[in-house]
Structures are given as C-alpha cells and as structure tokens.
Amino acid sequence: MHLAESKLKILLQKSGLVTADVFDSAKEESMRSGQTLTNVLIGRGDIPEEYLTELFGQNFGMKTVDLRKVVIPTEVLEMVPETYAKSKGVVLFEHDAGKKLAKLA
C-alpha cells in the first residue's frame, strides 16, 4: 500500500514517534540509498514495523493480521499458485467457500 509522504509525515509526527528532522533525514537517506522511506525508518529503528502496519491499517480502514501467529491450511495456500504469490507478494491465509470469503495479505 502506498501512503503519500506528506500524509505519512503528518501521521508519524502526530504519533510522537518521529520528529520532522528525523523524517527529513530518513527521506534523504531513502533517496541516496534507493530504499523506500518506510524501509529506512524501520531499518534505522525510528519506528517499529508493527506500529507502521497498524498505522497503515487504520489509515486505509483495514484490519491487520500477524501472519506469524496464523496457521494456514495447506489447501488454502495452494489456492494461489506459488509463482503468482511470490511475484505479487501476496498470501491467501483464510478461505470460506460457504460465505464466499477469502482473506489475502
């Protein structure tokens, strides 16, 4: 998901985790290194990845799921071809045929 830099900056500053100076420094490092701004912020330890995930979820009105804590049945995993899942960076982690419901991360 993509969040405009200006909105990300405002959200992070409101949270109190990142100051304008820290954000601007991370942005400069991002441009120099070719990494995404969020990867720089997480990699430098400026923000925890879990917090950023929750922030994105709230902003986009979506629930977050820690897939490390979810047991995914093999038959559900196999519903999306592995090559497609890897190329798109997605995983199907829940499927209910009766409700016509699928959860994708």
Side-chain angles (χ1 to χ4, degrees):
M1 289 190 187
H2 180 72
L3 188 62
E5 276 185 20
S6 56
K7 181 142 187 172
L8 179 61
K9 185 175 184 176
I10 291 167
L11 290 172
L12 290 174
Q13 284 182 275
K14 280 185 181 179
S15 75
L17 281 178
V18 175
T19 64
D21 289 341
V22 169
F23 187 90
D24 293 340
S25 167
K27 183 177 176 181
E28 288 176 19
E29 185 175 330
S30 167
M31 293 170 67
R32 277 194 314 272
S33 68
Q35 294 183 40
T36 64
L37 176 58
T38 53
N39 281 348
V40 171
L41 287 165
I42 292 167
R44 295 189 331 179
D46 295 326
I47 55 173
E49 184 175 8
E50 294 80 14
Y51 179 81
L52 186 64
T53 302
E54 288 179 23
L55 186 67
F56 276 27
Q58 291 170 1
N59 185 69
F60 291 107
M62 301 172 79
K63 292 182 181 180
T64 57
V65 175
D66 185 348
L67 292 177
R68 295 173 293 200
K69 298 177 181 176
V70 176
V71 177
I72 306 171
T74 304
E75 61 272 7
V76 172
L77 275 176
E78 292 174 347
M79 294 177 89
V80 176
E82 183 178 357
T83 54
Y84 181 83
K86 284 182 177 181
S87 70
K88 301 297 182 186
V90 298
V91 62
L92 181 65
F93 64 94
E94 191 174 318
H95 182 259
D96 185 330
K99 293 182 182 178
K100 297 184 180 180
L101 174 73
K103 293 184 180 180
L104 186 72

